[in-house]
Amino acid sequence: MTSSLIRGRPRRGGSPISVRVVHALVGGVAAVVWLVLPAMTAMTIGDGDPVAGGAPRPVAGAVAQQEVEETSAVDLVMPLLAAVAAGVLAGYGFLRRRRRARGRTTPGGAPVPVVEPAVGELDERARALLVEADDWVRVSREELGFVAGRVGAGGGEPAAVEPFAAESFAIEPSAVEPFERVLRDAEGELAVAFRMRWQYEGGVPQESAARRHVLAGIVGRCEETGRLLDAQAAAFDQTRGLEEGLGGGLGHALVVAEGRFRELAGRIGDTDAVLAELGERYAPSATAAVAGHVEQAKDRLVFATTRLNLSRQRADSGENGRAAGQLRSAEGAIAQAAVLIDGIERLAGELATAAAMVPAALTGGEAEIAGAREWLRRAGAGTWDADAPRSVGGPPPPGSPASPRAVEVPPGELHARATRADLVLAVVREELTSGRYDALDVLRRIVRGVQPVFAGRAGVIPAAALVCARSAVAGADAVVATHRAAVGGEARTRLAEARRLLAPPASASGAGRDVRQELADLVAADALAQQAHDLAEQDIRVHGHPVVGPGADTVGLAGAVLGGVLLGREPDGGPPVSFGGPRSRERRGDTART
């Protein structure tokens, strides 16, 4: 594989084989000349030809003859060595040329054999990168939220804390827009990767080569997600200006973080009271998903208090880099505390909405069941008119099970579905009279019970399904967001697919929507989100409590590591996460160790 440093540089073509052969022949001829020339010289001197200007001198001639013979012996060895060397070099060049020809990737040469990783290895890499890319996007979104606090007035007046003007720290909306844009692009790449993974797990495609290609595509999408974020990480850091110290962006960022911290700390008591009230009004299962949120939120806020204080101390001593790292740790903990507290308040609103919708959903479900039985009665009597009204409300929607020209369910199956739906509603009515109940669970059972006979007559059924699906997606997302270090790819993949089903298609319009398909998507999103929640909880139990340095529990360090606020590479929790992809994390880690 060509190195990235030289990729795109034109290669020099090797010399043709004929040229190398000519070079070898020239070297051989030179060696032969070198061998023959000394011998010819020796023969000329040894003939005893008279030397001009003197008489023959036998003694001198004998000595000369001896020197010539010695010189000729030496001269014979050197050309021989030169000839051997020329032959070796020519042979080496020829063999090297052949090896390069076998491995050529240019036209005319065979392709380089590439050893592809095994499918299992590629699958594991795709799983790991999905988790990492999801964390990159989540963390980047969190930190961008703190930057948004500085847009305009900046969510606080730093002049009350530091001797500088607030206007100098406000960030223009135009400065934040590039990061919003790149984050949306990264989220789009990640969404496609999760979609590919979901289809892959469902057996699509089936061919082994195509499945390998899908895994490679997932890896490529995740790497592109990180590349997009890394490309803007340096500009994002410059916009924040945390390295400038208290006299720069760090001072204002501290004010924003401390303001959010105080707001969340003030809500803890009220949230605890809300949770207690929910426990008295509804069944225990209604609040089981948020049972430990108050304690976890307190833990994150304790950690944030420590890191905010350390950030100011580092900044006072001129260690702006370390101060920025402590601030990022505090911001991550504050963001997760907000998720936990908001989750309780959100659930309280969802339970109230569900409880108010239950009577209407029961009425709508009864209407759907009655419509299905009416169709069965008329179909059995042979008096059905496709244009006749199913009830007082008018004719059934086109393509619905109530239309005999579009029905795909045999009458016997439709009768069984109506009977089961009626039984579900009867159980729900009895549960409502028994006292406390889980309003969301009751509404969910009504929707799922009526769905098999749903024909679009009762609009309250899709509305109820939407409430249940949104609640399940938000609950699962909160678990993933506050336990990033533990939750794996299966839970995240199902959560991503639930989000996709929950989002209405861009082409959907009020008149052209298929209400049955809409209901099916909402029910599927609800089920997938519940599966994601269960898988996430299972991952957390398997992962266990993070092992960190002494005194970790007193400062909330273990919770911060479990939540992914810190990378957990060191006994003190390691460096904090920040906006960006894999290269940004490596850079933060290197900075923290220096």
Side-chain angles (χ1 to χ4, degrees), residues 458-485:
V460 68
I461 300 300
L466 181 62
V467 171
C468 296
R470 285 178 174 172
S471 176
V473 169
D477 187 76
V479 176
V480 176
T482 54
H483 301 82
R484 292 193 299 258

Side-chain angles (χ1 to χ4, degrees), residues 169-234:
F169 298 97
I171 297 178
E172 295 295 332
S174 58
V176 179
E177 176 57 30
F179 310 122
E180 288 279 2
R181 185 168 55 252
V182 74
L183 189 53
R184 288 194 298 268
D185 293 341
E187 289 171 341
E189 292 287 341
L190 181 61
V192 174
F194 272 123
R195 177 61 176 162
M196 294 170 67
R197 181 69 200 187
W198 175 249
Q199 292 177 332
Y200 179 87
E201 292 182 358
V204 179
Q206 297 181 351
E207 299 81 6
S208 58
R211 290 178 68 80
R212 176 186 288 274
H213 183 70
V214 168
L215 292 176
I218 294 172
V219 171
R221 293 280 185 176
C222 293
E223 290 176 344
E224 177 64 11
T225 300
R227 190 198 64 80
L228 288 170
L229 296 174
D230 278 331
Q232 290 292 327

Side-chain angles (χ1 to χ4, degrees), residues 64-100:
Q65 179 68 24
Q66 182 178 0
E67 291 178 354
V68 168
E69 290 178 355
E70 294 175 355
T71 303
S72 299
V74 174
D75 290 342
L76 287 174
V77 172
M78 295 303 295
L80 183 61
L81 293 177
V84 172
V88 170
L89 291 175
Y92 171 74
F94 176 75
L95 293 176
R96 185 168 178 268
R97 176 66 182 177
R98 290 195 60 181
R99 284 197 298 267
R100 291 182 59 185

Side-chain angles (χ1 to χ4, degrees), residues 229-525:
L229 296 174
D230 278 331
Q232 290 292 327
F236 183 83
D237 291 345
Q238 185 176 4
T239 300
R240 294 208 70 182
L242 299 183
E243 303 293 336
E244 300 172 4
L246 292 176
L250 179 62
H252 193 278
L254 275 168
V255 170
V256 173
E258 289 168 347
R260 293 192 180 182
F261 170 84
R262 288 191 295 269
E263 185 260 336
L264 291 173
R267 291 168 57 191
I268 280 286
D270 296 338
T271 304
D272 203 0
V274 169
L275 187 59
E277 182 181 353
L278 293 177
E280 295 176 358
R281 182 179 302 177
Y282 301 101
S285 61
T287 58
V290 297
H293 278 203
V294 172
E295 289 73 18
Q296 294 180 47
K298 291 178 179 178
D299 183 74
R300 300 294 195 278
L301 291 179
V302 169
F303 175 81
T305 302
T306 304
R307 294 305 172 113
L308 287 173
N309 292 335
L310 287 174
S311 180
R312 284 199 173 273
Q313 293 173 10
R314 299 290 190 186
D316 290 337
S317 61
E319 301 177 79
N320 295 333
R322 292 182 179 273
Q326 300 292 354
L327 173 62
R328 283 192 170 94
S329 301
E331 289 175 343
I334 291 170
Q336 292 194 5
V339 171
L340 294 166
I341 294 173
D342 291 343
I344 296 175
E345 298 176 352
R346 170 187 52 77
L347 180 62
E350 291 166 350
L351 286 171
T353 301
M357 292 185 70
V358 165
L362 281 172
T363 303
E366 291 168 354
E368 293 290 347
I369 296 172
R373 285 176 172 164
E374 175 66 14
W375 179 84
L376 288 171
R377 185 186 66 79
R378 293 193 181 189
T383 60
W384 176 263
D385 182 3
D387 296 325
R390 177 180 174 181
S391 64
V392 179
S400 71
S403 173
R405 290 179 297 185
V407 68
E408 299 177 358
V409 181
E413 174 65 20
L414 184 59
H415 176 76
R417 291 182 180 185
T419 301
R420 286 194 295 268
D422 203 1
L423 179 61
V424 169
L425 298 188
V427 173
V428 167
R429 291 191 204 95
E430 183 178 357
E431 185 174 343
L432 295 179
T433 60
S434 62
R436 297 186 307 168
Y437 61 92
D438 184 344
L440 280 169
D441 179 67
V442 165
L443 194 65
R444 182 174 286 116
R445 281 187 284 156
I446 293 174
V447 170
R448 294 182 180 180
V450 174
Q451 182 194 5
V453 297
F454 178 73
R457 184 175 182 276
V460 68
I461 300 300
L466 181 62
V467 171
C468 296
R470 285 178 174 172
S471 176
V473 169
D477 187 76
V479 176
V480 176
T482 54
H483 301 82
R484 292 193 299 258
V487 180
E490 291 188 24
R492 299 179 193 237
T493 301
R494 281 154 181 76
L495 177 59
E497 181 64 14
R499 280 205 206 97
R500 189 191 69 83
L501 293 172
L502 185 59
S507 60
S509 60
R513 288 186 306 170
D514 184 346
V515 290
R516 292 188 304 160
Q517 184 60 48
E518 178 185 2
L519 179 62
D521 289 343
L522 292 174
V523 171

